[in-house]
């Protein structure tokens, strides 16, 4: 049987109405068809029904094809029957789709494609929607293949906007963000603009995974770019459908929260830079997410400015204030700004004490107890996490999506999924807690702050802060104060001088302490045979009226014996006898280390020991210089940025991925600085080899973007190879688009006969990149 598809020219089927039988000569049947002139003569070998035939297409206006075939009467009857079968096949295909016999539907669809090309528009959309609604990955992929074929053959007008939105939604919900984002991009390319209420739900499903979160930011950046700097006139009615697609606060919140949870915060900052350019105003949720991003990227000044906005913003919840101040404290610690951190802690303690003593505390407690303390914790109902994990349980039906013209149900799904992302961010709070709605510093904050003071060698300031904190906070026993725990931690770490300094500051401030801390320090000095410090500490203990225990005397006597100071040992023994010190002394230091606070949580001392031993020492200068370089790059003052970079290195601060990311994006913003980026790339590789600097996805993606745009394909292939080795996601769709935008006519056709070796290598590198990107 000769099908339409077998007698096509290129990818266009020949309609039956134009295919006419003219004459029969022996075993040959002649077909005549009007085809435009200008095409070259070609020989097509095709499988025609049950035989092979040769069809010759000749030049000229009227073309005659000769096909060796069966007798005329047989083939004529077959063609007529086939014409009737196409109609029946379409009807049958529609029926099996309605009956949800999807396997049969796909088989009929494939037969239809072979015989006559795509079915009519209504059937194509019904088939895609049915496969998407099945929520089975195999069928989703089949539907996506159908869509791809339609776009390749320039038949995308067969696909309705709602159908593609629904298929994208199904992929996003299934956890396949790449096809989901590609479908949205295709809709934008073909000007079938999806309303923001629809694509925000797709964005929310995508943001549940790290790859999806990365693509979500790319989508918001690409779509937001269309609206930058007032490019779209809202007064024109023709722009109505385009304006319906404009990203809103929900989209930004979803994409930014996804970035935070997946760790791609520099990419998120690009979105923040876009906000004023599309006139987007931040709501309370967006302000908090911005605070998280600024904290992660070390933008201290931006956080300070944001504090004003937070205080002026309406309807800010107690949980949101907790998140903001947690970010602010974390950023202060990142920069080693111990004055601001300690000041904030003391201010919180003062306000907490004042609130506890105020007359209104009773009513506050009563209200909190009646409401189940929901204000303080902002905890959602038990089933909320499960309910919001996917927005709405099962996928919305295609019929409901089409009926809901404003996509309000998808908008609700987007908001529910955003709430789930926000809850995950709330779990990252570690420095601030609340008690009856009052902000309080956590033990984790004390530990970080104490560690920073000790590493900076500021024992006097540390003692002053801890003494003030003790006065503001609830009173505790002499041997259980924060300062005593810190001193014991220093002793355990072998930082005896710091411990002694803290003990001196404590004594000079008139703060009494028990004998255990003196005993612990004396034993540590004895162990290191530091007799002078032992004598000095004993004098201080006596002045303070502290009586040390028998175990401490035994250690000191043993130390004198080892040093062959018999008289000194005898004097200590007599002193112990005269003081009538019993053998059973105070609890040993080892018991203090193993002790735990109420509720089974590790004590401050144990936590501090763990933090100091496990934590890495922070180079505060790196954050300062990164901020300076970022400022210059943002203002496009690249010469100043280069000077700052050189100064940073000369002072011994090792640049990291964030440093290079600012420089690369700065060069990319001013354009044409590809040689400079190449030099930076060489420096990055050198640092990675010598100092172990780690490349991350955001940095490599920025470098790759610059190289592809500038046509540096040899370097681009290097970056691709590095990203693939590191199992990093690469947005191939973006790079295909970028290549076609800047290098569409490049390396087209055959290579010239005469070209230099460098030209050959460049051409080969470009072809390798094209193959990787799927462009050839």
């Amino acid at each position: 049987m000769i099908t339409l598809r077998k007698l096509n020219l290129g990818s266009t089927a020949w309609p039956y109405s134009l295919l006419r039988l003219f004459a029969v000569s022996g075993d040959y049947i002649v077909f005549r068809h009007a085809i435009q002139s200008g095409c070259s003569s070609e020989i097509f070998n095709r499988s025609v029904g049950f035989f092979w035939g040769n069809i010759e297409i000749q030049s000229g206006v009227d073309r005659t094809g000769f096909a060796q075939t069966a007798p005329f009467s047989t083939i004529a009857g077959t063609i007529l029957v086939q014409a009737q079968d196409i109609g029946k096949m379409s009807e049958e295909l529609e029926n099996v789709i309605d009956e949800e016999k999807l396997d049969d539907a796909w088989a009929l669809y494939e037969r239809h494609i072979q015989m006559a090309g795509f079915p009519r528009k209504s059937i194509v959309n019904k088939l895609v929607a049915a496969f998407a609604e099945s929520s089975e990955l195999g069928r989703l992929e089949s539907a996506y293949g159908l869509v791809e074929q339609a776009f390749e053959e320039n038949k995308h007008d067969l696909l309705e906007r709602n159908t593609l939105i629904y298929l994208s939604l199904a992929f996003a919900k299934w956890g396949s963000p790449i096809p989901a984002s590609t479908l949205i991009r295709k809709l934008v390319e073909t000007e079938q603009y999806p309303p923001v209420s629809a694509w925000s739900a797709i964005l929310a499903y995508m943001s549940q995974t790290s790859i999806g979160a990365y693509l979500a930011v790319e989508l918001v950046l690409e779509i937001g770019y269309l609206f930058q700097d007032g490019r779209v006139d809202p007064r024109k009615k023709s722009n109505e459908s385009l304006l319906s697609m404009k990203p809103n606060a929900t989209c930004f919140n979803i994409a930014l929260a996804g970035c935070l949870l997946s760790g791609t915060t520099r990419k998120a900052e690009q979105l923040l830079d876009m906000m004023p350019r599309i006139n987007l105003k931040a709501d309370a949720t967006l302000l908090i997410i911005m605070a998280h991003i600024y904290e992660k990227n070390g933008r201290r000044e931006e956080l300070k400015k944001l504090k004003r906005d937070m205080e002026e913003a309406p309807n800010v919840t107690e949980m949101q204030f907790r998140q903001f101040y947690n970010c602010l404290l974390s950023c202060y610690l990142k920069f080693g700004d111990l004055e601001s951190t300690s000041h904030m802690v003391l201010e919180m303690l003062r306000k907490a004490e004042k609130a506890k003593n105020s007359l209104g505390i009773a009513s506050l407690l009563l209200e909190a107890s009646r409401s189940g303390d929901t204000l303080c914790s902002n905890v959602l109902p038990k089933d909320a996490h499960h309910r919001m994990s996917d927005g709405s349980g099962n996928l919305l039906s295609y019929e409901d999506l089409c009926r809901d013209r404003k996509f309000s149900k998808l908008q609700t799904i987007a908001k529910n999924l955003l709430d789930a992302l926000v809850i995950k961010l709330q779990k990252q709070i570690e420095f601030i807690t609340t008690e009856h709605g009052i902000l309080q510093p956590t033990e984790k904050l004390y530990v970080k702050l104490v560690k920073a003071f000790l590493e900076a060698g500021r024992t006097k300031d540390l003692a002053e802060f801890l003494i003030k904190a003790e006065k503001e906070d609830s009173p505790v026993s002499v041997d259980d104060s924060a300062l005593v725990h810190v001193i014991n931690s220093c002793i355990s770490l072998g930082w005896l001088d710091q411990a002694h300094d803290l003990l001196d500051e404590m004594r000079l401030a008139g703060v009494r302490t028990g004998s255990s801390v003196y005993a612990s320090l004396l034993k540590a000095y004895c162990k290191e045979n530091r007799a002078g410090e032992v004598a000095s500490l004993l004098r201080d203990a006596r002045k303070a009226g502290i009586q040390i225990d028998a175990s401490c005397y035994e250690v000191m006597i043993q130390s004198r014996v080892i040093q062959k100071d018999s008289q000194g040992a005898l004097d200590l023994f007599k002193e112990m006898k005269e003081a009538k010190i019993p053998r059973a002394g105070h609890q040993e230091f080892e018991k203090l280390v193993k002790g735990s606070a109420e509720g089974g949580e590790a004590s401050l001392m144990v936590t501090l020991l763990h933090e100091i031993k496990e934590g890495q020492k922070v180079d505060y200068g790196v954050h300062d210089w990164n901020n300076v370089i970022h400022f210059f790059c943002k203002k496009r003052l690249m010469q100043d940025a280069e000077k700052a970079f050189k100064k940073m290195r000369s002072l011994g601060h090792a640049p990291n991925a964030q440093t290079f990311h600012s420089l690369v994006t700065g060069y990319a913003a001013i354009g044409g600085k590809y040689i400079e980026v190449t030099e930076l790339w060489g420096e990055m590789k050198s640092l990675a080899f010598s100092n172990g600097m780690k490349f991350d996805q955001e940095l490599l993606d920025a470098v790759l973007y610059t190289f592809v745009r500038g046509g540096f394909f040899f370097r681009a292939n290097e970056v691709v190879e590095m990203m693939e080795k590191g199992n990093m996601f690469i947005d191939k769709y973006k790079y295909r688009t970028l290549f076609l935008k800047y290098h569409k006519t490049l390396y087209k056709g055959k290579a010239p006969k005469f070209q230099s070796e460098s030209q050959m290598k460049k051409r080969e590198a470009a072809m390798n990149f094209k193959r990787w990107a799927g462009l050839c």
Side-chain angles (χ1 to χ4, degrees):
M1 180 175 63
I2 300 178
T3 66
L4 258 177
R5 193 134 183 110
K6 305 301 179 184
L7 293 173
N8 67 351
L9 180 65
S11 61
T12 306
W14 293 1
Y16 284 104
S17 58
L18 298 179
L19 189 63
R20 294 176 292 169
L21 295 172
F22 271 77
V24 181
S25 176
D27 292 334
Y28 289 87
I29 179 171
V30 181
F31 297 96
R32 186 174 296 278
H33 184 269
I35 303 175
Q36 293 179 356
S37 60
C39 298
S40 60
S41 178
E42 299 177 6
I43 302 294
F44 291 83
N45 292 318
R46 292 286 188 265
S47 174
V48 184
F50 54 87
F51 66 92
W52 286 93
N54 295 323
I55 303 174
E56 183 180 358
I57 308 298
Q58 300 171 347
S59 60
V61 176
D62 287 322
R63 312 246 175 127
T64 305
F66 301 93
Q68 189 172 0
T69 182
F72 170 69
S73 57
T74 305
I75 196 67
T78 305
I79 292 173
L80 293 175
V81 171
Q82 179 185 307
Q84 294 173 357
D85 286 348
I86 292 299
K88 286 184 179 180
M89 189 182 297
S90 296
E91 186 180 346
E92 188 180 352
L93 176 55
E94 192 167 9
N95 289 336
V96 292
I97 294 171
D98 291 337
E99 294 168 6
E100 298 183 3
K101 297 177 180 177
L102 300 184
D103 291 336
D104 295 340
W106 187 250
L108 281 170
Y109 164 75
E110 287 185 321
R111 280 177 58 196
H112 200 294
I113 282 287
Q114 288 175 356
M115 292 175 64
F118 283 98
R120 63 177 179 269
K121 185 173 183 177
S122 60
I123 295 177
V124 169
N125 285 278
K126 190 177 282 191
L127 180 64
V128 172
F131 273 48
E133 200 164 3
S134 71
S135 294
E136 293 179 17
L137 185 58
R139 284 175 177 157
L140 286 174
E141 288 173 347
S142 297
Y144 186 75
L146 186 159
V147 171
E148 272 194 322
Q149 186 180 355
F151 274 95
E152 284 171 7
E153 298 186 12
N154 204 26
K155 297 278 187 178
H156 52 81
D157 55 331
L158 290 172
L159 298 161
E160 293 177 354
R161 185 185 69 173
N162 281 3
T163 306
L164 294 180
I165 289 173
Y166 192 68
L167 182 58
S168 177
L169 183 72
F171 269 115
K173 192 175 189 305
W174 181 265
S176 301
I178 297 173
S181 62
T182 301
L183 289 165
I184 295 297
R185 283 163 156 168
K186 289 290 186 186
L187 281 169
V188 177
E189 279 181 16
T190 54
E191 299 183 1
Q192 298 184 70
Y193 304 119
V196 67
S197 51
W199 70 270
S200 60
I202 296 166
L203 207 69
Y205 279 125
M206 286 170 57
S207 297
Q208 306 299 312
T209 64
S210 58
I211 292 175
Y214 202 87
L215 282 168
V217 179
E218 293 285 7
L219 273 180
V220 178
L221 286 171
E222 288 169 16
I223 294 174
Y225 178 78
L226 302 174
F227 301 93
Q228 276 188 179
D229 307 321
R231 286 180 180 145
V232 181
D233 188 350
R235 295 169 298 179
K236 290 185 178 179
K237 197 169 183 180
S238 58
N239 290 334
E240 190 175 343
S241 62
L242 176 58
L243 285 165
S244 71
M245 184 179 67
K246 185 178 179 181
N248 57 15
T250 302
C251 281
F252 271 77
N253 282 329
I254 289 167
L256 292 170
C259 274
L260 279 167
L261 293 169
S262 60
T264 51
T265 51
R266 294 195 294 279
K267 197 77 178 171
E269 205 164 352
Q270 289 180 252
L271 281 182
L272 299 186
D273 293 338
M274 177 180 276
M275 282 172 54
R277 300 188 68 179
I278 63 170
N279 296 320
L280 181 71
K281 292 183 179 179
D283 56 13
T285 304
L286 189 47
L287 287 174
I288 296 303
I289 293 174
M290 287 169 70
H292 278 284
I293 292 165
Y294 288 144
E295 181 271 320
K296 295 291 184 187
N297 292 347
R299 310 295 181 219
R300 182 169 47 173
E301 296 307 312
E302 281 82 351
L303 261 177
K304 288 178 180 177
K305 292 174 187 175
L306 202 61
K307 189 178 179 183
R308 269 196 316 271
D309 297 330
M310 281 292 299
E311 290 167 353
E312 294 172 2
N315 306 320
V316 180
T317 65
E318 173 267 326
M319 174 60 80
Q320 288 172 331
F321 273 117
R322 272 179 66 187
Q323 285 179 279
F324 177 77
Y325 285 111
N326 185 82
C327 292
L328 192 58
L329 283 166
S330 179
C331 199
Y332 283 153
L333 286 170
K334 193 174 283 186
F335 280 85
D337 188 354
L338 306 183
E339 287 80 7
S340 298
T341 310
S342 54
H343 175 75
M344 272 189 69
V345 172
L346 293 173
E347 192 66 26
M348 276 191 284
L349 293 173
R350 287 189 201 104
K351 288 182 178 178
E353 190 64 26
K354 187 177 179 180
K356 286 176 185 175
N357 296 330
S358 66
L359 294 174
I361 191 65
S363 59
L364 179 64
L365 291 172
L366 181 63
E367 184 184 344
S369 62
R370 283 177 177 173
S371 63
D373 217 12
T374 53
L375 174 65
C376 301
S377 60
N378 280 13
V379 175
L380 295 172
K382 290 182 180 179
D383 64 336
H385 295 270
H386 175 70
R387 191 173 66 247
M388 293 193 302
S389 63
D390 62 358
S392 64
N394 294 326
L395 183 67
L396 184 75
S397 72
Y398 179 67
E399 188 179 345
D400 287 342
L401 180 133
C402 293
R403 197 183 296 120
D404 185 9
R405 293 186 179 181
K406 293 184 177 179
F407 299 100
S408 55
K409 289 182 180 178
L410 291 186
Q411 200 168 2
T412 303
I413 289 172
K415 288 179 179 177
N416 286 343
L417 288 167
L418 173 60
D419 289 342
L421 292 171
V422 168
I423 287 172
K424 290 178 183 177
L425 286 178
Q426 289 172 0
K427 291 178 181 178
Q428 295 180 355
I429 300 174
E430 56 179 1
F431 294 147
I432 303 287
T433 186
T434 52
E435 188 177 341
H436 305 301
I438 303 163
L439 297 178
Q440 297 269 20
T442 63
E443 188 177 82
K444 181 75 173 175
L445 176 57
Y446 278 114
V447 166
K448 290 278 187 183
L449 187 53
V450 168
K451 181 191 174 191
F453 270 119
L454 290 172
E455 287 180 346
R458 296 172 56 179
T459 51
K460 184 177 180 180
D461 294 332
L462 172 59
E464 186 182 341
F465 161 71
L466 290 175
I467 290 165
K468 286 180 181 177
E470 286 292 336
K471 289 178 181 177
E472 298 292 347
D473 207 355
S474 304
V476 293
S477 65
V478 174
D479 290 324
D480 198 33
S481 68
L483 188 49
V484 169
H485 281 301
V486 171
I487 293 169
N488 283 332
S489 299
C490 289
I491 295 168
S492 178
L493 292 162
W495 300 352
L496 305 185
D497 292 334
Q498 289 93 325
H500 202 156
D501 289 343
L502 288 170
L503 200 54
D504 285 344
E505 294 295 334
M506 194 175 181
R507 181 173 52 80
L508 291 170
V511 180
R512 283 187 58 83
T513 184
S515 62
S516 62
V517 68
Y518 280 91
S520 300
L521 187 53
L522 278 168
K523 289 176 183 178
Y525 276 141
C526 288
K527 191 175 180 181
E528 294 194 4
N529 298 321
R530 296 173 65 174
E533 284 81 357
V534 170
S536 173
L537 190 59
L538 271 174
R539 284 194 301 271
D540 293 341
R542 286 164 186 154
K543 284 179 185 178
I546 301 294
Q547 180 62 64
I548 58 176
D549 63 8
S551 66
C552 195
Y553 270 105
E554 288 170 4
V555 170
M556 288 191 293
I557 290 168
Q558 189 178 2
S559 176
R560 293 294 174 91
V561 170
I562 291 170
Q563 294 171 15
K564 298 181 180 180
D565 183 4
S566 303
Q567 187 59 46
L570 188 59
D571 290 341
L572 284 170
F573 182 73
K574 286 178 181 178
E575 185 181 320
M576 179 180 168
K577 279 275 190 180
E578 287 169 5
K580 296 179 180 179
I581 297 171
R583 287 273 176 183
H586 297 278
Q587 64 178 354
E588 295 294 335
F589 172 62
E590 288 75 14
K591 290 182 181 178
L592 283 174
V593 176
K594 294 177 182 177
S596 58
E598 291 182 16
E601 294 181 1
S603 67
L604 174 64
M605 179 180 165
V606 176
T607 312
L608 180 59
L609 285 171
H610 178 76
E611 177 69 28
I612 291 172
K613 287 177 180 177
E614 299 296 325
Q616 294 181 346
K617 193 168 182 178
V618 181
D619 183 358
Y620 302 119
V622 171
H623 296 294
D624 281 317
W625 283 105
N626 277 350
N627 261 349
V628 171
I629 292 167
H630 177 74
F631 172 81
F632 287 135
C633 291
K634 201 170 179 180
K635 297 292 183 182
R636 302 187 180 185
L637 303 170
M638 295 311 296
Q639 287 185 343
D640 294 317
E642 288 166 8
K643 289 176 185 176
F645 179 64
K646 288 176 183 176
K647 184 72 174 175
M648 175 187 186
R649 298 202 65 181
S650 68
L651 292 172
H653 301 295
N656 55 21
Q658 187 170 348
T659 319
F660 287 109
H661 187 271
S662 296
L663 290 166
V664 171
T665 52
Y667 283 128
I670 59 178
K673 298 291 182 178
Y674 305 116
I675 300 297
E676 288 81 352
V677 176
T678 305
E679 290 171 357
L680 277 178
W681 175 238
E683 201 161 348
M684 284 181 236
K685 291 189 288 184
S686 175
L687 277 172
F689 180 76
S690 59
N691 295 345
M693 188 195 84
K694 293 183 179 178
F695 293 103
D696 58 33
Q697 182 185 359
E698 293 173 282
L699 172 59
L700 291 177
D701 186 64
V703 175
L704 179 58
Y705 184 90
T706 310
F707 283 153
V708 174
R709 184 174 175 178
F712 284 60
F713 293 109
F714 186 80
R715 300 297 178 197
N717 292 333
E718 270 186 21
V719 181
V720 167
E721 186 180 356
M722 188 176 288
M723 292 182 80
E724 288 181 337
K725 280 183 180 178
N727 293 320
M728 297 178 193
F729 168 69
I730 311 175
D731 186 2
K732 285 190 179 183
Y733 189 98
K734 178 175 76 172
Y735 289 109
R736 281 197 293 269
T737 306
L738 189 67
F739 187 95
L740 293 173
K741 182 178 180 181
Y742 290 101
H743 313 290
K744 189 173 184 179
T745 58
L746 197 62
Y747 313 116
K748 226 177 180 182
K750 294 181 179 180
K753 289 182 179 179
F754 303 103
Q755 53 181 342
S756 65
E757 188 178 349
S758 62
Q759 287 175 323
M760 288 174 66
K761 286 182 178 179
K762 187 177 180 181
R763 183 183 179 85
E764 185 182 353
M767 293 306 295
N768 287 338
F769 183 83
K770 281 178 71 177
R771 277 191 287 272
W772 169 81
L775 287 167
C776 59

